[in-house]
Amino acid sequence: MKYAYYPGCAAKGSTPEADFTTRLVAQTLGIELLELQNSGCCGAKEIRVVSRRLDLNLNARILSLAQGLGLDILTICNTCLLNLNQANNQLKAEPETLQKVNKSLSKIGLSYDGSTNVKHLLHVLLTDLGLDRLKQSVKTPLTGLKVAPFYGCHIVRPVKDLGFDVAKTESLEALVRTLHAHPVEYPGRTKCCGFYVLMPNEAAASGMIAHRLEEALKADADCIVTPCPLCHVALDMFQKQALGKVGIRRTIPVLHLPQLVGLALGISEKNLQFSRHLVRVNILGK
Amino acid sequence: MVKEITVSIFRYDPESDKHPSYQTYSVPSKERMLVGDVLEYIHENLDGSLAYRWECRMRLCGGCTILINGKPGLICREQAEPSMTLEPLPFLPIVRDLVVDRKSLLDKIYSVPPLTRQKSPVRLPEPIAHEVILGLRVPRQCVQCLACVAVCPATEVLTADLFLPPKLIQIAGFAIDDRDTVDRVQESEESNLFDCACCHACEEVCPHEINISEKVITALRNKTYEHGIGRGGRYIKAFYDALQAKGKVNASGILLRSQGYLRAIMKAPQGIRLIARGKFVSPFGKPIPDIEDIRTIIGPTEQEK
């Protein structure tokens, strides 16, 4: 298994532990990652506001770089996953648009033919590697650990763009069980963390963050696990302010997906870089 | 095939009941049975006191939305499931059982009058470009069923007074109409357009499958950006500038560009905590090595549709 690895801006900036632990977990599981160097930003939800065409150009460039390597893309960010898939779907469905985008790409010596597939680490663990093989690699079963699976939005919706309903199929719950941990049931699993409102309206985002954390706390979870570094930014970095505003003193650690997998694979706490989190990770020994 | 449908229904009459309760009914199952058919069967055969709305029966009036197993949907559209819990829409006063008083929200939506404001007198015939009509069709499919409101995280936090998706859908319907003369950019800013969390939850429940994130939110934000006004317009410009400068984005860079040094300094305590954990990215960092490639493909000359 070999992929063109596209970590996205957040994992290269605010959440470097997500990038670091993805590499460690991939290495342990025999998944080869060839990073798309200099790939830049996917445009998030903002560049399409300037112009849909610019968003397509950015994503087509990334898809084209992976095409040059002859590899599918593995990303660890929900928004990158959705953006790359939406662009890919549109470019495949509209030959005229692909032609226009390729005219832009030709100025930097690239072109795209629509052949790159885009997957999230969660998809790769579930389908390419398979949960049976993952189970065989578990060295430290997470028995007794109550985990609140938090999908984030852009790996779940819109299903027509993503092509795979990870929430309906309870993918994250299945993965948590594979690691011998217990997925708790709670209403917030596919709701929004508020990340995209943080910059325009931090108070509103803080309310959304508090709701999601309260839902996980009420379900008596020991920790939250998320496949998205943007959700991690919202739920970890802004956790204390958000809960403080609603008068809650308890906290709940938020783990990146590769950190939870890494924990079960026997990777040390130090290498999982829990010390980088703003909320203390106090789940070990549970 | 399941022979019976078991349905648990929220029952409450504010005039006589102290608390809401749930009543369970068994209904013989039929092929392609809608939730509305189940309720009609109960009303006609089992319990005439059950109150629910089912008016046009063709997805057009938007009045019959309830929560079906926790998810909002029109009873004239959604297929019955073998086991269902039916509840009224949350956040609205209950008239009785599944019937809620929708007036307060409809009044807020119609604070944007559902009319194209044209220069008067209107000259007839009125030529409208084909592409404008195609664009208008999307937001005008909205029937104010309020399903999107029930799942919107921004409405949940800000309340419907400050953020209401159907109101933005309505504004979008006029913003792309050439004949309209109202300042829809201002109107969407006042309706807190940039508080949308881009979560796509509204689209998932919209009975008319309106692409709200693209055809409403992104379309209106584009107009705001082009007018260069408000906090939203400044934020998008900051993001675009940061991307052109570095090829990648980070929060400190966008904060500095969109809100200035003073606001950025106020965030210093948070910044210090991030520095301590190796998570702070300097706004003055180097661009990616292939930055010229990014600048080439996202420059102003590449923006043509």
Side-chain angles (χ1 to χ4, degrees):
Chain A
M1 271 174 291
K2 192 174 177 181
Y3 300 91
Y5 175 49
Y6 179 67
C9 296
K12 297 303 271 184
S14 310
T15 61
E17 70 279 3
D19 173 42
F20 187 80
T21 50
T22 298
R23 292 167 190 277
L24 271 184
V25 163
Q27 197 181 10
T28 310
L29 294 171
I31 299 168
E32 202 177 334
L33 300 179
L34 196 59
E35 183 170 345
L36 288 174
Q37 301 287 347
N38 294 323
S39 47
C41 175
C42 72
K45 286 288 179 189
E46 284 80 2
I47 292 303
R48 65 181 61 207
V49 171
V50 179
S51 144
R52 176 66 183 145
R53 174 67 189 283
L54 297 190
D55 181 274
L56 284 172
N57 283 0
L58 277 174
N59 285 284
R61 176 174 170 272
I62 299 163
L63 293 162
S64 159
L65 290 171
Q67 175 192 295
L69 298 172
L71 297 171
D72 287 344
I73 289 178
L74 183 154
T75 182
I76 55 170
C77 171
N78 286 6
T79 294
C80 296
L81 174 79
L82 180 60
N83 272 7
L84 286 163
N85 268 310
Q86 284 183 328
N88 212 11
N89 295 342
Q90 189 175 343
L91 294 172
K92 283 182 194 174
E94 299 172 9
E96 270 183 33
T97 309
L98 178 64
Q99 205 177 353
K100 284 180 188 172
V101 167
N102 269 331
K103 204 174 158 192
S104 295
L105 291 186
S106 70
K107 295 175 186 170
I108 57 170
L110 293 174
S111 75
Y112 182 55
D113 63 9
S115 64
T116 305
N117 294 309
V118 185
K119 296 172 179 183
H120 190 283
L121 173 66
L122 179 62
H123 303 135
V124 169
L125 294 176
L126 282 167
T127 49
D128 293 8
L129 181 80
L131 293 184
D132 287 342
R133 269 183 71 185
L134 179 62
K135 200 167 194 170
Q136 287 162 17
S137 306
V138 171
K139 284 188 182 156
T140 314
L142 307 178
T143 313
L145 186 70
K146 288 174 281 181
V147 181
F150 187 82
Y151 284 83
C153 301
H154 298 157
I155 200 170
V156 174
R157 294 177 291 266
V159 173
K160 66 175 170 40
D161 294 328
L162 294 159
F164 185 38
D165 195 337
V166 285
K168 203 171 180 181
T169 53
E170 301 198 339
S171 313
L172 206 41
E173 282 85 351
L175 191 133
V176 167
R177 281 192 203 97
T178 303
L179 309 176
H180 299 269
H182 172 68
V184 301
E185 279 181 34
Y186 73 117
R189 62 195 272 277
T190 60
K191 291 187 185 171
C192 178
C193 69
F195 175 85
Y196 279 100
V197 195
L198 271 168
M199 201 63 81
N201 186 349
E202 193 178 319
S206 182
M208 294 181 207
I209 293 165
H211 278 308
R212 301 298 84 85
L213 294 167
E214 277 186 83
E215 285 158 347
L217 282 167
K218 268 187 198 162
D220 200 27
D222 297 319
C223 67
I224 292 171
V225 66
T226 177
C228 180
L230 307 178
C231 298
H232 195 274
V233 166
L235 298 176
D236 176 69
M237 221 179 260
F238 290 84
Q239 178 167 147
K240 287 183 182 168
Q241 296 103 294
L243 287 179
K245 276 185 192 167
V246 292
I248 295 175
R249 287 192 172 181
R250 282 174 67 196
T251 57
I252 181 164
V254 185
L255 270 62
H256 296 282
L257 174 65
Q259 285 178 319
L260 188 78
V261 175
L263 202 59
L265 296 180
I267 296 172
S268 72
E269 188 185 351
K270 189 184 168 198
N271 275 336
L272 292 173
Q273 300 195 338
F274 290 145
S275 58
R276 285 191 187 268
H277 293 203
L278 270 81
V279 176
R280 202 173 138 244
V281 180
N282 54 358
I283 55 168
L284 301 171
K286 285 203 177 181
Chain B
M1 190 180 167
V2 180
K3 291 188 176 159
E4 275 199 337
I5 289 171
T6 307
V7 53
S8 171
I9 302 180
F10 177 98
R11 302 297 309 266
Y12 182 54
D13 184 344
E15 288 185 3
S16 58
D17 300 338
K18 278 189 181 170
H19 307 288
S21 60
Y22 286 81
Q23 199 164 345
T24 304
Y25 303 90
S26 288
V27 174
S29 173
K30 282 191 295 187
E31 217 172 313
R32 300 170 77 184
M33 204 172 188
L34 298 171
V35 177
D37 296 323
V38 173
L39 288 169
E40 189 172 54
Y41 182 90
I42 294 169
H43 187 257
E44 288 183 357
N45 299 286
L46 305 175
D47 188 345
S49 71
L50 176 67
Y52 64 102
R53 272 204 183 97
W54 197 12
E55 293 162 35
C56 77
R57 303 188 178 209
M58 51 195 294
R59 309 173 193 182
L60 289 178
C61 74
C64 68
T65 319
I66 59 168
L67 294 184
I68 304 160
N69 288 336
K71 195 175 163 185
L74 302 184
I75 65 167
C76 64
R77 178 181 191 262
E78 303 301 325
Q79 296 286 323
E81 293 174 31
S83 173
M84 294 190 291
T85 300
L86 306 181
E87 294 161 306
L89 275 181
F91 59 75
L92 285 169
I94 291 165
V95 177
R96 193 152 64 87
D97 301 335
L98 300 175
V99 180
V100 291
D101 185 354
R102 294 158 35 92
K103 187 176 182 307
S104 60
L105 282 191
L106 293 180
D107 283 351
K108 288 185 179 75
I109 296 168
Y110 294 129
S111 65
V112 175
L115 296 165
T116 309
R117 293 283 177 85
Q118 294 172 252
K119 283 178 195 163
S120 55
V122 176
R123 283 191 173 180
L124 295 173
E126 195 180 31
I128 308 169
H130 182 60
E131 57 269 26
V132 172
I133 289 292
L134 290 179
L136 285 174
R137 273 188 193 163
V138 177
R140 292 197 179 174
Q141 283 175 316
C142 176
V143 294
Q144 289 88 40
C145 73
L146 310 179
C148 55
V149 184
V151 295
C152 176
T155 309
E156 185 184 23
V157 167
L158 293 165
T159 76
D161 284 330
L162 294 177
F163 193 85
L164 203 50
K167 189 172 167 186
L168 290 167
I169 296 172
Q170 183 138 304
I171 295 170
F174 300 119
I176 52 177
D177 189 333
D178 292 343
R179 301 164 300 167
D180 190 67
T181 56
V182 178
D183 184 354
R184 302 296 177 185
V185 171
Q186 182 69 24
E187 210 166 54
S188 52
E189 271 281 313
E190 286 166 3
S191 302
N192 298 307
L193 169 67
F194 279 84
D195 290 348
C196 165
C198 305
C199 73
H200 300 270
C202 48
E203 289 163 35
E204 198 181 38
V205 297
C206 177
H208 290 280
E209 297 174 12
I210 300 173
N211 186 345
I212 299 170
S213 59
E214 288 305 311
K215 302 294 183 190
V216 175
I217 302 297
T218 304
L220 285 174
R221 284 181 177 180
N222 174 259
K223 292 208 171 287
T224 309
Y225 167 75
E226 283 177 352
H227 282 71
I229 65 156
R231 61 191 167 105
R234 283 196 301 276
Y235 165 58
I236 296 297
K237 185 173 185 316
F239 193 101
Y240 184 34
D241 290 347
L243 191 55
Q244 282 188 311
K246 312 282 183 191
K248 57 188 177 182
V249 291
N250 70 65
S252 62
I254 299 168
L255 185 74
L256 203 60
R257 285 169 192 274
S258 65
Q259 300 181 10
Y261 279 89
L262 194 62
R263 278 291 302 274
I265 288 166
M266 283 164 68
K267 296 272 178 194
Q270 173 83 345
I272 291 164
R273 281 196 290 274
L274 298 181
I275 291 167
R277 285 166 175 81
K279 290 168 94 79
F280 183 75
V281 185
S282 164
F284 308 109
K286 285 182 186 168
I288 66 167
D290 289 347
I291 181 64
E292 286 309 326
D293 284 1
I294 300 278
R295 284 176 189 152
T296 301
I297 61 165
I298 64 166
T301 55
E302 304 301 316
Q303 288 189 27
E304 88 277 344
K305 302 281 186 255

